[in-house]
Amino acid sequence: DPTHDRFTALQGLLNSFGPGANVRIGLVFFADTASTAVQLTSVSSAAGAINSALTAHANPNGSTAIGRGIQAATSEFSAHGTSGASKVMIVFTDGGETDNSNPEGAATTAAAQGIRVNVVDLGGNTANQQIAQAGGGTVLMASDSQQLADMFRSAQLVGISSIEVMNSTTGQA
């Protein structure tokens, strides 16, 4: 992703949440290894740290160990996730697995723990479909920042299929 479209789109996602959003977000980077850059926390608390981490990782290099990234994110959900909450992992990759880190197995493990694994494919690698399928998610293809921004505006990306609003005074939908 030499144009850093994924970073632009992620920053747009962060900016789309209102100040009282009941959403927790974290960030894991992966290349040869994987590490948690920002622990799962409220969007308002995480936004600054995520923007700083994106700036610090502007030029990633190394192999593509998608499986290690999924494993690190799964561990983060176990350590800092909210019990009973919907759990969705979004894996951004500009290619396919190049490090034999078993991404399908990692996605299967995540799904078994109730974590939906969606893959945003920036490079047109059809193998990423198997990763998303193993994780109970979907693969979404994007070739530019506008397509990524459109994805983030879609509630389907984060596993929301419908929203019901109740009036707390009248009890009416």
Side-chain angles (χ1 to χ4, degrees):
D1 183 26
T3 61
H4 306 290
D5 286 341
R6 68 194 184 283
F7 293 168
T8 302
L10 183 55
Q11 288 168 330
L13 173 66
L14 291 172
N15 294 333
S16 72
F17 292 107
N22 185 17
V23 174
R24 295 169 55 85
I25 191 167
L27 181 64
V28 170
F29 285 107
F30 63 91
D32 297 332
T33 61
S35 62
T36 300
V38 179
Q39 290 182 345
L40 276 172
T41 189
S42 69
V43 171
S44 59
S45 296
I50 288 175
N51 283 322
S52 294
L54 293 175
T55 300
H57 287 83
N59 296 306
N61 57 27
S63 62
T64 305
I66 298 171
R68 285 200 227 354
I70 293 171
Q71 290 167 346
T74 300
S75 294
E76 183 59 25
F77 274 112
S78 295
H80 300 106
T82 302
S83 179
S86 173
K87 294 174 177 64
V88 179
M89 180 185 311
I90 304 172
V91 178
F92 286 88
T93 181
D94 60 354
E97 172 69 28
T98 62
D99 203 23
N100 297 318
S101 68
N102 190 12
E104 292 89 356
T108 298
T109 299
Q113 294 180 28
I115 303 165
R116 179 179 174 184
V117 180
N118 291 327
V119 178
V120 176
D121 186 326
L122 303 168
N125 190 311
T126 57
N128 291 320
Q129 180 65 44
Q130 286 80 22
I131 298 168
Q133 186 174 24
T138 58
V139 66
L140 302 154
M141 307 297 281
S143 59
D144 61 44
S145 59
Q146 184 58 50
Q147 285 180 329
L148 284 169
D150 291 345
M151 278 183 213
F152 279 134
R153 282 192 280 280
S154 167
Q156 292 291 326
L157 180 65
V158 292
I160 299 170
S161 59
S162 67
I163 297 173
E164 182 177 309
V165 178
M166 297 293 289
N167 181 319
S168 59
T169 304
T170 66
Q172 301 284 325

